[in-house]
Amino acid sequence: MKNRIPHIGLVLFILVGILPFALAFIYALLYSFGIVGVVNTGFTFKFWLAVLHSGEFFKSLIYSTSIALVSMIASVGGALWITIKFRQNLEKKFLSFIAYLPLAIPGVATGFFIFQLLSKGGFFARISYAVGWINEATDFPDLVNDTFAFGITLAFITMVLPFFVLLFLNVFKNERLDELSILAQSLGATRRQVVRRIQLPILLKKTRILIVLYFIFLLGSYEIPLILGQESPQMLSVLIIREIKQYDLDKISEGYVVAVLYTIIVSVAVLLLFLPKRKNALL
């Protein structure tokens, strides 16, 4: 009976986790080649050629990757600095509550909150007008729906940084880094050497998988880019939904092409990052 339990778990994982994704991917693939669909009449490459020739997918991919990468670097770097510098203070109940409060706020709420703060008619624009820094609302800089995605990046950091602070604090305790640091300093290591050669390598090594997975999560984020992003280029998830929801039925197939391309790129990236490590572990 005990031997059957792992097999049941595997079957449930396949049925709940893998099968729906596989069926959705197959449907999107068939739709992108014109095999299924409202106005599609048969196998064709025209939708793929249209997407590849327009170049919008590649612009969106570069745009999304840049935003996700900057957000992750800022979030992970900030979380490392806060953890190493203020970990003892964060153990106090009030400060820990304030630090982890953003984790309870949904992405949609975060997006709207950032919009109300940074838009030209928002809180900071009104404060700037009241104190005489600007003469009218249009003088306030574009911080949302802007070319450099400042609003999206700030919203991502607001969501991700507290999570990694909590994660790094747990790793710090579980790996007993305080004791390792004291031991290294007793053997002659400086404070900077302890941070650079002991604390940072262990924290990053133990959390590298989650860092990559969170990067993929931000790459495919939808709600915040929809609220705070610009019209063009758009992040990939917003581009996919926009194409699928258009009145031009041919655009639906092009939207599925973008979805298939994005899925393939992410899947290949994950395999390249984790499969070699898995092989080494088996060996």
Side-chain angles (χ1 to χ4, degrees):
M1 189 67 180
K2 293 182 179 180
N3 294 331
R4 293 182 180 179
I5 295 177
H7 298 293
I8 294 174
L10 180 61
V11 170
L12 289 175
F13 173 73
I14 293 173
L15 291 176
V16 177
I18 297 179
L19 186 60
F21 171 79
L23 293 175
F25 178 77
I26 292 172
Y27 178 78
L29 188 64
L30 294 175
Y31 212 121
S32 68
F33 283 112
I35 298 174
V36 299
V38 179
V39 296
N40 293 336
T41 56
F43 183 83
T44 179
F45 283 108
K46 70 176 183 179
F47 303 120
W48 283 78
L49 294 175
V51 170
L52 296 176
H53 287 165
S54 69
E56 190 171 12
F57 168 75
F58 298 104
K59 292 179 182 177
S60 181
L61 178 62
I62 296 172
Y63 184 70
S64 302
T65 303
S66 301
I67 294 173
L69 187 61
V70 170
S71 301
M72 285 303 302
I73 291 174
S75 299
V76 172
L80 285 170
W81 180 73
I82 291 171
T83 302
I84 293 173
K85 194 80 173 177
F86 304 106
R87 63 184 179 278
Q88 294 179 348
N89 295 328
L90 290 174
E91 293 179 358
K92 299 177 181 178
K93 291 184 177 180
F94 178 75
L95 289 178
S96 62
F97 173 78
I98 296 298
Y100 305 143
L101 181 62
L103 295 175
I105 301 175
V108 175
T110 301
F112 277 114
F113 181 72
I114 296 295
F115 185 85
Q116 292 298 327
L117 285 178
L118 301 181
S119 65
K120 288 184 179 293
F123 178 77
F124 288 124
R126 294 174 183 271
I127 293 295
S128 300
Y129 178 78
V131 299
W133 292 344
I134 58 175
N135 296 321
E136 53 186 24
T138 55
D139 294 334
F140 194 75
D142 293 323
L143 299 179
V144 297
N145 309 125
D146 58 309
T147 304
F148 298 103
F150 179 83
I152 298 175
T153 304
L154 180 61
F156 282 166
I157 294 173
T158 302
M159 293 176 57
V160 176
L161 190 146
F163 170 79
F164 278 100
V165 170
L166 177 61
L167 179 63
F168 291 145
L169 285 174
N170 288 332
V171 173
F172 220 98
K173 292 179 181 178
N174 294 336
E175 299 299 322
R176 303 169 67 180
L177 290 185
D178 278 324
E179 296 179 17
L180 287 175
S181 301
I182 294 173
L183 177 60
Q185 287 179 318
S186 68
L187 295 174
T190 63
R191 174 61 181 165
R192 180 172 296 182
Q193 288 174 330
V194 169
V195 172
R196 190 175 68 251
R197 298 186 179 183
I198 296 177
Q199 295 177 355
L200 287 180
I202 292 177
L203 289 172
L204 292 175
K205 183 178 180 180
K206 293 295 181 180
T207 59
R208 65 185 184 278
I209 293 178
L210 277 175
I211 291 174
V212 174
L213 292 178
Y214 236 102
F215 170 79
I216 294 173
F217 166 75
L218 294 185
L219 189 65
S221 181
Y222 175 72
E223 295 90 352
I224 288 176
L226 179 66
I227 297 169
L228 302 175
Q230 60 180 357
E231 288 295 325
S232 180
Q234 295 175 317
M235 290 193 70
L236 284 167
S237 56
V238 181
L239 175 63
I240 292 169
I241 298 300
R242 189 197 73 187
E243 295 294 328
I244 292 176
K245 296 297 183 180
Q246 285 193 23
Y247 292 105
D248 186 351
L249 297 180
D250 285 339
K251 292 293 183 180
I252 298 177
S253 296
E254 294 180 13
Y256 281 112
V257 171
V258 177
V260 170
L261 285 172
Y262 169 71
T263 304
I264 292 173
I265 291 173
V266 170
S267 300
V268 171
V270 170
L271 288 174
L272 291 176
L273 286 169
F274 299 129
L275 191 58
K277 296 179 178 60
R278 178 64 178 170
K279 288 181 178 179
N280 291 334
L282 291 174
L283 293 175

